Amino acid sequence: MTGEETEGEGHGSRAFPRRRVLRTLGGISLVGIGGTGSASARGPPKGTGNGGPPNGNGGRPPDHAGGPPDDERGPPQSDDEDRTIEWGGQGSEHAEQDCPEQDGCWYWVLTPGGPEEFEEVNELEVTYEDGDTETYDEWVQRGNGAYQIEVCKNDGGTVEDAFVDVTGGGRNALLTISDGECKGPVYWQVDFGLGLSPPEVPKYEPEDFLMAAVGNSDRVSFNPSCTFPKEDKIDLLDREFDFDDEDNPTHVSVRFEVVSDEELDLHLAVFIRPPRDLTEEFDVKEVEEAAKDGECPIDADDVDVEEQVEFGVASGTFGSGEQHTLEIDLPTP
Protein backbone atom coordinates (compact mmCIF):
# COMPACT_ATOMS: atom_id res chain seq x y z
CA MET A 1 0.00 0.00 0.00
CA THR A 2 2.25 2.78 1.10
CA GLY A 3 5.60 3.36 -0.51
CA GLU A 4 7.64 4.10 2.60
CA GLU A 5 9.53 1.16 4.04
CA THR A 6 10.14 3.05 7.26
CA GLU A 7 6.44 3.10 7.85
CA GLY A 8 5.98 -0.61 6.98
CA GLU A 9 4.42 -0.81 3.54
CA GLY A 10 0.77 -1.50 3.98
CA HIS A 11 -2.04 -3.44 2.34
CA GLY A 12 -3.79 -2.90 2.37
CA SER A 13 1.45 -45.10 -3.51
CA ARG A 14 -1.65 -46.41 -1.76
CA ALA A 15 -3.76 -49.45 -2.50
CA PHE A 16 -7.48 -49.02 -2.96
CA PRO A 17 -10.22 -51.51 -3.80
CA ARG A 18 -11.21 -51.01 -7.41
CA ARG A 19 -14.28 -53.20 -7.79
CA ARG A 20 -16.98 -51.11 -6.23
CA VAL A 21 -18.49 -47.69 -6.65
CA LEU A 22 -21.25 -47.31 -9.15
CA ARG A 23 -23.63 -49.79 -10.74
CA THR A 24 -26.55 -48.87 -12.98
CA LEU A 25 -29.62 -51.05 -12.70
CA GLY A 26 -32.90 -50.22 -14.35
CA GLY A 27 -32.02 -46.53 -14.55
CA ILE A 28 -31.12 -46.26 -10.81
CA SER A 29 -27.57 -45.27 -9.87
CA LEU A 30 -26.13 -46.84 -6.73
CA VAL A 31 -23.07 -45.10 -5.31
CA GLY A 32 -20.67 -46.96 -3.02
CA ILE A 33 -17.99 -45.84 -0.59
CA GLY A 34 -15.44 -43.33 -1.86
CA GLY A 35 -11.69 -43.09 -1.48
CA THR A 36 -9.90 -40.75 0.89
CA GLY A 37 -7.07 -38.28 0.53
CA SER A 38 -6.28 -34.65 -0.10
CA ALA A 39 -8.03 -34.69 -3.44
CA SER A 40 -11.74 -34.46 -4.05
CA ALA A 41 -14.24 -35.54 -6.64
CA ARG A 42 -17.55 -34.09 -7.68
CA GLY A 43 -20.09 -34.54 -10.43
CA PRO A 44 -19.74 -32.25 -13.44
CA PRO A 45 -20.67 -28.59 -13.00
CA LYS A 46 -24.21 -27.42 -13.54
CA GLY A 47 -25.34 -24.83 -15.99
CA THR A 48 -23.54 -26.04 -19.11
CA GLY A 49 -26.82 -26.47 -20.93
CA ASN A 50 -26.29 -30.11 -21.80
CA GLY A 51 -25.39 -31.65 -18.46
CA GLY A 52 -21.76 -32.08 -19.51
CA PRO A 53 -18.53 -30.57 -18.29
CA PRO A 54 -17.73 -26.98 -19.23
CA ASN A 55 -16.17 -27.80 -22.58
CA GLY A 56 -19.59 -27.50 -24.17
CA ASN A 57 -19.49 -30.83 -25.97
CA GLY A 58 -21.95 -32.64 -23.74
CA GLY A 59 -19.36 -35.01 -22.34
CA ARG A 60 -18.08 -36.24 -25.72
CA PRO A 61 -14.30 -36.41 -26.03
CA PRO A 62 -12.87 -33.80 -28.41
CA ASP A 63 -12.84 -34.80 -32.07
CA HIS A 64 -9.07 -34.46 -32.10
CA ALA A 65 -8.61 -36.68 -29.05
CA GLY A 66 -8.42 -39.91 -31.03
CA GLY A 67 -7.90 -43.16 -29.15
CA PRO A 68 -5.95 -46.37 -29.01
CA PRO A 69 -5.60 -48.27 -32.30
CA ASP A 70 -8.30 -50.86 -32.92
CA ASP A 71 -5.87 -53.72 -32.34
CA GLU A 72 -5.16 -52.41 -28.83
CA ARG A 73 -8.77 -52.10 -27.78
CA GLY A 74 -9.47 -55.81 -27.68
CA PRO A 75 -12.46 -57.72 -29.00
CA PRO A 76 -16.02 -56.64 -28.42
CA GLN A 77 -17.06 -57.12 -24.82
CA SER A 78 -20.11 -58.87 -23.43
CA ASP A 79 -22.22 -57.10 -20.85
CA ASP A 80 -20.88 -59.25 -18.01
CA GLU A 81 -17.17 -59.18 -18.88
CA ASP A 82 -14.71 -57.32 -16.63
CA ARG A 83 -11.94 -55.23 -18.15
CA THR A 84 -9.79 -52.17 -17.61
CA ILE A 85 -10.05 -48.97 -19.64
CA GLU A 86 -6.72 -47.12 -19.56
CA TRP A 87 -6.18 -43.47 -20.35
CA GLY A 88 -4.23 -43.22 -23.61
CA GLY A 89 -3.53 -39.49 -23.50
CA GLN A 90 -6.87 -38.31 -24.85
CA GLY A 91 -7.26 -34.67 -23.83
CA SER A 92 -3.62 -34.43 -22.72
CA GLU A 93 -3.68 -30.69 -23.41
CA HIS A 94 -5.60 -30.44 -20.14
CA ALA A 95 -3.36 -32.84 -18.18
CA GLU A 96 -1.36 -30.08 -16.47
CA GLN A 97 -3.15 -27.74 -14.08
CA ASP A 98 -0.72 -25.47 -12.23
CA CYS A 99 -2.79 -23.96 -9.41
CA PRO A 100 -0.75 -22.69 -6.43
CA GLU A 101 -2.93 -22.27 -3.32
CA GLN A 102 -5.96 -23.41 -5.32
CA ASP A 103 -7.44 -26.72 -6.47
CA GLY A 104 -6.46 -28.07 -9.87
CA CYS A 105 -9.50 -29.79 -11.37
CA TRP A 106 -9.92 -32.21 -14.27
CA TYR A 107 -13.14 -33.24 -16.04
CA TRP A 108 -12.99 -36.90 -17.08
CA VAL A 109 -15.40 -38.58 -19.52
CA LEU A 110 -15.80 -42.35 -19.91
CA THR A 111 -17.65 -43.25 -23.12
CA PRO A 112 -18.95 -46.80 -23.77
CA GLY A 113 -17.77 -46.82 -27.37
CA GLY A 114 -20.80 -48.40 -28.93
CA PRO A 115 -24.40 -49.36 -28.26
CA GLU A 116 -23.39 -51.66 -25.39
CA GLU A 117 -23.80 -49.92 -22.05
CA PHE A 118 -21.51 -50.35 -19.07
CA GLU A 119 -23.00 -52.73 -16.52
CA GLU A 120 -20.60 -51.52 -13.84
CA VAL A 121 -18.14 -48.64 -13.53
CA ASN A 122 -15.66 -48.69 -10.66
CA GLU A 123 -13.28 -46.14 -9.19
CA LEU A 124 -11.15 -43.94 -11.39
CA GLU A 125 -7.51 -44.24 -10.33
CA VAL A 126 -5.23 -41.36 -11.33
CA THR A 127 -1.46 -41.14 -10.91
CA TYR A 128 0.14 -37.71 -10.98
CA GLU A 129 3.64 -36.65 -12.01
CA ASP A 130 4.61 -36.01 -8.37
CA GLY A 131 3.95 -39.69 -7.55
CA ASP A 132 0.59 -39.21 -5.84
CA THR A 133 -2.08 -41.79 -6.71
CA GLU A 134 -5.70 -40.97 -5.91
CA THR A 135 -8.99 -42.75 -6.50
CA TYR A 136 -12.33 -41.11 -7.21
CA ASP A 137 -15.80 -42.63 -7.30
CA GLU A 138 -18.45 -39.98 -7.85
CA TRP A 139 -19.24 -40.81 -11.46
CA VAL A 140 -22.40 -39.35 -12.94
CA GLN A 141 -24.09 -41.01 -15.94
CA ARG A 142 -25.91 -38.88 -18.45
CA GLY A 143 -28.83 -40.87 -19.84
CA ASN A 144 -27.64 -44.33 -20.86
CA GLY A 145 -24.36 -43.14 -22.31
CA ALA A 146 -21.16 -41.56 -21.04
CA TYR A 147 -20.03 -41.32 -17.44
CA GLN A 148 -18.51 -38.06 -16.21
CA ILE A 149 -16.57 -37.04 -13.12
CA GLU A 150 -14.79 -33.92 -11.86
CA VAL A 151 -11.69 -34.58 -9.74
CA CYS A 152 -9.59 -32.00 -7.91
CA LYS A 153 -6.18 -31.96 -6.23
CA ASN A 154 -4.65 -29.35 -3.94
CA ASP A 155 -2.31 -27.06 -5.91
CA GLY A 156 -3.07 -29.03 -9.08
CA GLY A 157 -0.42 -31.09 -10.88
CA THR A 158 0.06 -33.12 -14.05
CA VAL A 159 -1.81 -36.33 -14.87
CA GLU A 160 0.61 -39.11 -15.76
CA ASP A 161 -1.63 -42.19 -15.89
CA ALA A 162 -5.21 -43.24 -15.20
CA PHE A 163 -7.51 -46.22 -15.53
CA VAL A 164 -10.93 -47.49 -14.53
CA ASP A 165 -12.21 -51.07 -14.17
CA VAL A 166 -15.56 -51.65 -15.86
CA THR A 167 -17.98 -54.40 -16.80
CA GLY A 168 -19.41 -54.32 -20.32
CA GLY A 169 -19.30 -51.51 -22.82
CA GLY A 170 -18.23 -51.47 -26.48
CA ARG A 171 -14.89 -52.11 -28.16
CA ASN A 172 -14.24 -48.39 -28.66
CA ALA A 173 -14.61 -47.31 -25.02
CA LEU A 174 -12.50 -44.25 -24.16
CA LEU A 175 -11.31 -42.44 -21.04
CA THR A 176 -10.74 -38.77 -21.83
CA ILE A 177 -9.85 -35.54 -20.03
CA SER A 178 -12.36 -33.17 -21.58
CA ASP A 179 -11.30 -30.01 -19.75
CA GLY A 180 -9.48 -28.63 -16.70
CA GLU A 181 -9.21 -25.49 -14.62
CA CYS A 182 -7.99 -23.96 -11.36
CA LYS A 183 -10.59 -23.49 -8.66
CA GLY A 184 -10.43 -21.87 -5.31
CA PRO A 185 -10.77 -18.60 -3.43
CA VAL A 186 -10.21 -15.21 -5.01
CA TYR A 187 -7.67 -13.17 -3.05
CA TRP A 188 -8.33 -9.46 -2.56
CA GLN A 189 -7.21 -6.28 -0.83
CA VAL A 190 -9.44 -3.38 0.25
CA ASP A 191 -8.00 0.15 0.39
CA PHE A 192 -9.55 3.31 1.87
CA GLY A 193 -7.76 6.48 0.90
CA LEU A 194 -7.85 10.15 -0.02
CA GLY A 195 -8.75 11.11 -3.57
CA LEU A 196 -11.49 9.99 -5.90
CA SER A 197 -9.42 7.07 -7.20
CA PRO A 198 -6.44 5.02 -6.04
CA PRO A 199 -2.98 5.25 -7.61
CA GLU A 200 -2.69 3.23 -10.80
CA VAL A 201 -0.27 0.98 -8.96
CA PRO A 202 -1.94 0.86 -5.53
CA LYS A 203 1.20 1.75 -3.61
CA TYR A 204 0.02 4.77 -1.67
CA GLU A 205 2.03 7.60 -0.24
CA PRO A 206 1.36 7.82 3.52
CA GLU A 207 -0.37 11.18 3.18
CA ASP A 208 -2.99 9.67 0.86
CA PHE A 209 -3.61 6.43 2.71
CA LEU A 210 -6.11 5.70 5.50
CA MET A 211 -6.79 1.97 6.01
CA ALA A 212 -6.58 -1.43 4.33
CA ALA A 213 -7.68 -5.05 4.84
CA VAL A 214 -6.75 -8.29 3.08
CA GLY A 215 -8.49 -11.64 2.65
CA ASN A 216 -10.10 -13.89 0.10
CA SER A 217 -13.54 -15.14 -0.88
CA ASP A 218 -13.35 -17.80 1.85
CA ARG A 219 -12.54 -15.49 4.75
CA VAL A 220 -11.39 -12.07 5.91
CA SER A 221 -7.73 -12.55 6.87
CA PHE A 222 -6.78 -9.23 8.50
CA ASN A 223 -9.20 -6.41 9.30
CA PRO A 224 -7.47 -4.04 9.28
CA SER A 225 -4.03 -4.88 7.94
CA CYS A 226 -2.81 -1.29 7.96
CA THR A 227 -3.94 2.20 9.08
CA PHE A 228 -2.56 5.72 8.80
CA PRO A 229 -5.23 7.72 10.70
CA LYS A 230 -5.50 11.42 9.81
CA GLU A 231 -6.84 12.71 13.12
CA ASP A 232 -7.04 16.27 11.83
CA LYS A 233 -9.04 15.31 8.74
CA ILE A 234 -11.14 12.22 9.31
CA ASP A 235 -12.42 10.00 12.09
CA LEU A 236 -12.36 6.28 11.25
CA LEU A 237 -15.37 5.45 13.37
CA ASP A 238 -14.75 1.73 13.82
CA ARG A 239 -11.05 1.55 12.97
CA GLU A 240 -11.95 -1.42 10.76
CA PHE A 241 -14.09 -2.37 7.78
CA ASP A 242 -17.54 -3.92 8.02
CA PHE A 243 -17.92 -7.16 6.02
CA ASP A 244 -21.26 -8.84 5.36
CA ASP A 245 -19.80 -12.24 6.33
CA GLU A 246 -16.35 -12.83 7.80
CA ASP A 247 -16.26 -16.41 6.46
CA ASN A 248 -17.70 -15.84 2.96
CA PRO A 249 -17.37 -12.10 2.36
CA THR A 250 -19.07 -10.59 -0.67
CA HIS A 251 -19.52 -6.95 0.40
CA VAL A 252 -17.52 -4.41 2.42
CA SER A 253 -18.23 -0.94 3.80
CA VAL A 254 -16.45 1.68 5.89
CA ARG A 255 -17.93 4.33 8.20
CA PHE A 256 -16.24 7.67 8.78
CA GLU A 257 -16.74 11.30 9.67
CA VAL A 258 -14.92 14.24 8.14
CA VAL A 259 -13.68 16.49 10.96
CA SER A 260 -11.77 19.09 8.94
CA ASP A 261 -13.47 22.27 7.77
CA GLU A 262 -12.83 21.40 4.15
CA GLU A 263 -14.53 18.81 2.00
CA LEU A 264 -12.60 15.61 1.31
CA ASP A 265 -12.47 13.40 -1.77
CA LEU A 266 -12.39 9.78 -0.60
CA HIS A 267 -12.46 6.35 -2.22
CA LEU A 268 -12.92 2.73 -1.27
CA ALA A 269 -11.12 0.42 -3.71
CA VAL A 270 -10.96 -3.36 -4.12
CA PHE A 271 -8.09 -5.14 -5.86
CA ILE A 272 -7.68 -8.79 -6.84
CA ARG A 273 -4.23 -9.94 -5.73
CA PRO A 274 -2.13 -13.03 -6.50
CA PRO A 275 -2.97 -16.06 -4.31
CA ARG A 276 -1.09 -15.99 -1.01
CA ASP A 277 -2.35 -17.10 2.39
CA LEU A 278 -0.83 -14.47 4.66
CA THR A 279 -2.30 -16.07 7.80
CA GLU A 280 0.42 -18.72 7.47
CA GLU A 281 3.06 -16.00 7.73
CA PHE A 282 1.56 -13.45 10.13
CA ASP A 283 -0.31 -13.66 13.42
CA VAL A 284 -3.82 -12.31 12.83
CA LYS A 285 -4.31 -10.77 16.28
CA GLU A 286 -0.89 -9.10 16.33
CA VAL A 287 -1.37 -7.60 12.88
CA GLU A 288 -4.85 -6.24 13.62
CA GLU A 289 -3.81 -4.73 16.97
CA ALA A 290 -0.76 -3.07 15.45
CA ALA A 291 -2.79 -1.79 12.51
CA LYS A 292 -5.37 -0.19 14.78
CA ASP A 293 -2.48 1.61 16.51
CA GLY A 294 -1.54 3.23 13.23
CA GLU A 295 1.01 0.78 11.84
CA CYS A 296 1.40 -1.31 8.68
CA PRO A 297 2.72 -4.71 9.79
CA ILE A 298 2.20 -6.27 6.34
CA ASP A 299 4.60 -4.88 3.78
CA ALA A 300 3.52 -3.97 0.26
CA ASP A 301 5.79 -6.70 -1.09
CA ASP A 302 3.91 -9.27 1.00
CA VAL A 303 0.74 -8.65 -1.00
CA ASP A 304 2.44 -8.16 -4.39
CA VAL A 305 0.98 -4.68 -4.82
CA GLU A 306 2.33 -4.21 -8.33
CA GLU A 307 0.54 -7.38 -9.51
CA GLN A 308 -2.86 -6.37 -8.19
CA VAL A 309 -5.76 -5.80 -10.58
CA GLU A 310 -8.44 -3.23 -9.83
CA PHE A 311 -11.85 -4.82 -9.26
CA GLY A 312 -13.94 -1.78 -8.35
CA VAL A 313 -13.96 1.68 -6.78
CA ALA A 314 -16.58 3.62 -4.81
CA SER A 315 -15.83 7.29 -4.21
CA GLY A 316 -17.31 10.68 -3.40
CA THR A 317 -16.79 14.14 -1.95
CA PHE A 318 -17.82 14.48 1.69
CA GLY A 319 -18.36 17.48 3.94
CA SER A 320 -17.62 17.79 7.64
CA GLY A 321 -19.93 17.23 10.59
CA GLU A 322 -21.76 14.14 9.35
CA GLN A 323 -21.16 10.41 9.37
CA HIS A 324 -20.77 8.80 5.95
CA THR A 325 -20.45 5.30 4.49
CA LEU A 326 -18.70 3.97 1.40
CA GLU A 327 -19.44 0.42 0.30
CA ILE A 328 -18.52 -1.92 -2.54
CA ASP A 329 -18.82 -5.58 -3.62
CA LEU A 330 -15.92 -8.02 -3.27
CA PRO A 331 -14.78 -10.48 -5.95
CA THR A 332 -16.06 -14.05 -5.66
CA PRO A 333 -15.15 -17.20 -7.64
Side-chain angles (χ1 to χ4, degrees), residues 307-324:
E307 297 184 34
Q308 292 182 352
V309 177
E310 186 177 296
F311 177 76
V313 178
S315 62
T317 301
F318 303 92
S320 62
E322 295 182 9
Q323 294 184 5
H324 305 280

PDB file of all heavy atoms in Angstrom, residues 307-324:
ATOM      1  N   GLU A 307       1.238  -6.373  -8.705  1.00  0.00           N
ATOM      2  CA  GLU A 307       0.545  -7.377  -9.510  1.00  0.00           C
ATOM      3  C   GLU A 307      -0.954  -7.387  -9.243  1.00  0.00           C
ATOM      4  O   GLU A 307      -1.673  -8.245  -9.745  1.00  0.00           O
ATOM      5  CB  GLU A 307       1.129  -8.767  -9.226  1.00  0.00           C
ATOM      6  CG  GLU A 307       2.588  -8.897  -9.615  1.00  0.00           C
ATOM      7  CD  GLU A 307       3.114 -10.294  -9.417  1.00  0.00           C
ATOM      8  OE1 GLU A 307       2.331 -11.249  -9.607  1.00  0.00           O
ATOM      9  OE2 GLU A 307       4.292 -10.446  -9.068  1.00  0.00           O
ATOM     10  N   GLN A 308      -1.439  -6.426  -8.473  1.00  0.00           N
ATOM     11  CA  GLN A 308      -2.865  -6.371  -8.187  1.00  0.00           C
ATOM     12  C   GLN A 308      -3.643  -5.802  -9.375  1.00  0.00           C
ATOM     13  O   GLN A 308      -3.129  -4.984 -10.132  1.00  0.00           O
ATOM     14  CB  GLN A 308      -3.123  -5.517  -6.950  1.00  0.00           C
ATOM     15  CG  GLN A 308      -2.601  -6.146  -5.675  1.00  0.00           C
ATOM     16  CD  GLN A 308      -2.910  -5.324  -4.446  1.00  0.00           C
ATOM     17  OE1 GLN A 308      -3.399  -4.205  -4.557  1.00  0.00           O
ATOM     18  NE2 GLN A 308      -2.615  -5.866  -3.276  1.00  0.00           N
ATOM     19  N   VAL A 309      -4.890  -6.258  -9.497  1.00  0.00           N
ATOM     20  CA  VAL A 309      -5.764  -5.804 -10.580  1.00  0.00           C
ATOM     21  C   VAL A 309      -6.990  -5.155  -9.961  1.00  0.00           C
ATOM     22  O   VAL A 309      -7.644  -5.723  -9.091  1.00  0.00           O
ATOM     23  CB  VAL A 309      -6.205  -6.983 -11.475  1.00  0.00           C
ATOM     24  CG1 VAL A 309      -7.178  -6.502 -12.552  1.00  0.00           C
ATOM     25  CG2 VAL A 309      -4.984  -7.660 -12.100  1.00  0.00           C
ATOM     26  N   GLU A 310      -7.301  -3.963 -10.391  1.00  0.00           N
ATOM     27  CA  GLU A 310      -8.438  -3.230  -9.825  1.00  0.00           C
ATOM     28  C   GLU A 310      -9.750  -3.935 -10.141  1.00  0.00           C
ATOM     29  O   GLU A 310     -10.035  -4.262 -11.288  1.00  0.00           O
ATOM     30  CB  GLU A 310      -8.467  -1.809 -10.373  1.00  0.00           C
ATOM     31  CG  GLU A 310      -9.528  -0.919  -9.729  1.00  0.00           C
ATOM     32  CD  GLU A 310      -9.479   0.500 -10.254  1.00  0.00           C
ATOM     33  OE1 GLU A 310      -8.452   1.173 -10.033  1.00  0.00           O
ATOM     34  OE2 GLU A 310     -10.463   0.923 -10.911  1.00  0.00           O
ATOM     35  N   PHE A 311     -10.555  -4.162  -9.098  1.00  0.00           N
ATOM     36  CA  PHE A 311     -11.851  -4.816  -9.256  1.00  0.00           C
ATOM     37  C   PHE A 311     -12.985  -3.810  -9.247  1.00  0.00           C
ATOM     38  O   PHE A 311     -13.962  -3.945  -9.985  1.00  0.00           O
ATOM     39  CB  PHE A 311     -12.055  -5.835  -8.139  1.00  0.00           C
ATOM     40  CG  PHE A 311     -13.389  -6.522  -8.172  1.00  0.00           C
ATOM     41  CD1 PHE A 311     -13.659  -7.518  -9.092  1.00  0.00           C
ATOM     42  CD2 PHE A 311     -14.394  -6.164  -7.273  1.00  0.00           C
ATOM     43  CE1 PHE A 311     -14.891  -8.157  -9.119  1.00  0.00           C
ATOM     44  CE2 PHE A 311     -15.630  -6.802  -7.296  1.00  0.00           C
ATOM     45  CZ  PHE A 311     -15.879  -7.797  -8.221  1.00  0.00           C
ATOM     46  N   GLY A 312     -12.885  -2.789  -8.420  1.00  0.00           N
ATOM     47  CA  GLY A 312     -13.944  -1.779  -8.354  1.00  0.00           C
ATOM     48  C   GLY A 312     -13.582  -0.660  -7.405  1.00  0.00           C
ATOM     49  O   GLY A 312     -12.744  -0.815  -6.514  1.00  0.00           O
ATOM     50  N   VAL A 313     -14.209   0.500  -7.614  1.00  0.00           N
ATOM     51  CA  VAL A 313     -13.955   1.678  -6.777  1.00  0.00           C
ATOM     52  C   VAL A 313     -15.273   2.377  -6.483  1.00  0.00           C
ATOM     53  O   VAL A 313     -16.109   2.556  -7.375  1.00  0.00           O
ATOM     54  CB  VAL A 313     -13.004   2.680  -7.465  1.00  0.00           C
ATOM     55  CG1 VAL A 313     -12.803   3.918  -6.595  1.00  0.00           C
ATOM     56  CG2 VAL A 313     -11.661   2.030  -7.770  1.00  0.00           C
ATOM     57  N   ALA A 314     -15.474   2.751  -5.218  1.00  0.00           N
ATOM     58  CA  ALA A 314     -16.582   3.620  -4.815  1.00  0.00           C
ATOM     59  C   ALA A 314     -15.970   4.886  -4.243  1.00  0.00           C
ATOM     60  O   ALA A 314     -15.045   4.820  -3.423  1.00  0.00           O
ATOM     61  CB  ALA A 314     -17.467   2.928  -3.778  1.00  0.00           C
ATOM     62  N   SER A 315     -16.462   6.048  -4.648  1.00  0.00           N
ATOM     63  CA  SER A 315     -15.833   7.289  -4.207  1.00  0.00           C
ATOM     64  C   SER A 315     -16.856   8.410  -4.108  1.00  0.00           C
ATOM     65  O   SER A 315     -18.005   8.286  -4.551  1.00  0.00           O
ATOM     66  CB  SER A 315     -14.710   7.691  -5.169  1.00  0.00           C
ATOM     67  OG  SER A 315     -15.231   7.939  -6.470  1.00  0.00           O
ATOM     68  N   GLY A 316     -16.445   9.523  -3.521  1.00  0.00           N
ATOM     69  CA  GLY A 316     -17.313  10.680  -3.401  1.00  0.00           C
ATOM     70  C   GLY A 316     -16.606  11.818  -2.698  1.00  0.00           C
ATOM     71  O   GLY A 316     -15.481  11.675  -2.204  1.00  0.00           O
ATOM     72  N   THR A 317     -17.284  12.967  -2.662  1.00  0.00           N
ATOM     73  CA  THR A 317     -16.792  14.144  -1.946  1.00  0.00           C
ATOM     74  C   THR A 317     -17.673  14.355  -0.726  1.00  0.00           C
ATOM     75  O   THR A 317     -18.901  14.409  -0.846  1.00  0.00           O
ATOM     76  CB  THR A 317     -16.830  15.377  -2.857  1.00  0.00           C
ATOM     77  OG1 THR A 317     -16.022  15.129  -4.027  1.00  0.00           O
ATOM     78  CG2 THR A 317     -16.300  16.606  -2.130  1.00  0.00           C
ATOM     79  N   PHE A 318     -17.077  14.486   0.440  1.00  0.00           N
ATOM     80  CA  PHE A 318     -17.824  14.477   1.692  1.00  0.00           C
ATOM     81  C   PHE A 318     -17.483  15.703   2.533  1.00  0.00           C
ATOM     82  O   PHE A 318     -16.313  16.082   2.664  1.00  0.00           O
ATOM     83  CB  PHE A 318     -17.519  13.210   2.478  1.00  0.00           C
ATOM     84  CG  PHE A 318     -17.808  11.940   1.713  1.00  0.00           C
ATOM     85  CD1 PHE A 318     -16.811  11.334   0.957  1.00  0.00           C
ATOM     86  CD2 PHE A 318     -19.078  11.379   1.737  1.00  0.00           C
ATOM     87  CE1 PHE A 318     -17.082  10.173   0.253  1.00  0.00           C
ATOM     88  CE2 PHE A 318     -19.354  10.226   1.036  1.00  0.00           C
ATOM     89  CZ  PHE A 318     -18.361   9.620   0.286  1.00  0.00           C
ATOM     90  N   GLY A 319     -18.541  16.316   3.090  1.00  0.00           N
ATOM     91  CA  GLY A 319     -18.363  17.475   3.945  1.00  0.00           C
ATOM     92  C   GLY A 319     -18.217  17.087   5.402  1.00  0.00           C
ATOM     93  O   GLY A 319     -18.429  15.936   5.794  1.00  0.00           O
ATOM     94  N   SER A 320     -17.877  18.051   6.235  1.00  0.00           N
ATOM     95  CA  SER A 320     -17.619  17.787   7.641  1.00  0.00           C
ATOM     96  C   SER A 320     -18.911  17.763   8.451  1.00  0.00           C
ATOM     97  O   SER A 320     -19.961  18.231   8.012  1.00  0.00           O
ATOM     98  CB  SER A 320     -16.686  18.856   8.201  1.00  0.00           C
ATOM     99  OG  SER A 320     -17.289  20.133   8.107  1.00  0.00           O
ATOM    100  N   GLY A 321     -18.822  17.181   9.638  1.00  0.00           N
ATOM    101  CA  GLY A 321     -19.927  17.231  10.586  1.00  0.00           C
ATOM    102  C   GLY A 321     -20.943  16.126  10.455  1.00  0.00           C
ATOM    103  O   GLY A 321     -21.903  16.098  11.220  1.00  0.00           O
ATOM    104  N   GLU A 322     -20.799  15.226   9.516  1.00  0.00           N
ATOM    105  CA  GLU A 322     -21.762  14.145   9.355  1.00  0.00           C
ATOM    106  C   GLU A 322     -21.036  12.818   9.184  1.00  0.00           C
ATOM    107  O   GLU A 322     -19.901  12.769   8.712  1.00  0.00           O
ATOM    108  CB  GLU A 322     -22.656  14.378   8.133  1.00  0.00           C
ATOM    109  CG  GLU A 322     -23.565  15.605   8.244  1.00  0.00           C
ATOM    110  CD  GLU A 322     -24.463  15.749   7.027  1.00  0.00           C
ATOM    111  OE1 GLU A 322     -24.481  14.799   6.201  1.00  0.00           O
ATOM    112  OE2 GLU A 322     -25.127  16.786   6.894  1.00  0.00           O
ATOM    113  N   GLN A 323     -21.704  11.741   9.576  1.00  0.00           N
ATOM    114  CA  GLN A 323     -21.163  10.409   9.367  1.00  0.00           C
ATOM    115  C   GLN A 323     -21.523   9.927   7.961  1.00  0.00           C
ATOM    116  O   GLN A 323     -22.623  10.173   7.484  1.00  0.00           O
ATOM    117  CB  GLN A 323     -21.701   9.435  10.414  1.00  0.00           C
ATOM    118  CG  GLN A 323     -21.249   9.746  11.823  1.00  0.00           C
ATOM    119  CD  GLN A 323     -21.720   8.714  12.819  1.00  0.00           C
ATOM    120  OE1 GLN A 323     -22.325   7.698  12.455  1.00  0.00           O
ATOM    121  NE2 GLN A 323     -21.447   8.965  14.102  1.00  0.00           N
ATOM    122  N   HIS A 324     -20.582   9.267   7.331  1.00  0.00           N
ATOM    123  CA  HIS A 324     -20.769   8.798   5.954  1.00  0.00           C
ATOM    124  C   HIS A 324     -20.362   7.332   5.849  1.00  0.00           C
ATOM    125  O   HIS A 324     -19.641   6.809   6.704  1.00  0.00           O
ATOM    126  CB  HIS A 324     -19.928   9.621   4.984  1.00  0.00           C
ATOM    127  CG  HIS A 324     -20.167  11.098   5.066  1.00  0.00           C
ATOM    128  ND1 HIS A 324     -21.244  11.716   4.472  1.00  0.00           N
ATOM    129  CD2 HIS A 324     -19.448  12.072   5.692  1.00  0.00           C
ATOM    130  CE1 HIS A 324     -21.185  13.013   4.715  1.00  0.00           C
ATOM    131  NE2 HIS A 324     -20.110  13.262   5.446  1.00  0.00           N
TER     132      HIS A 324
END
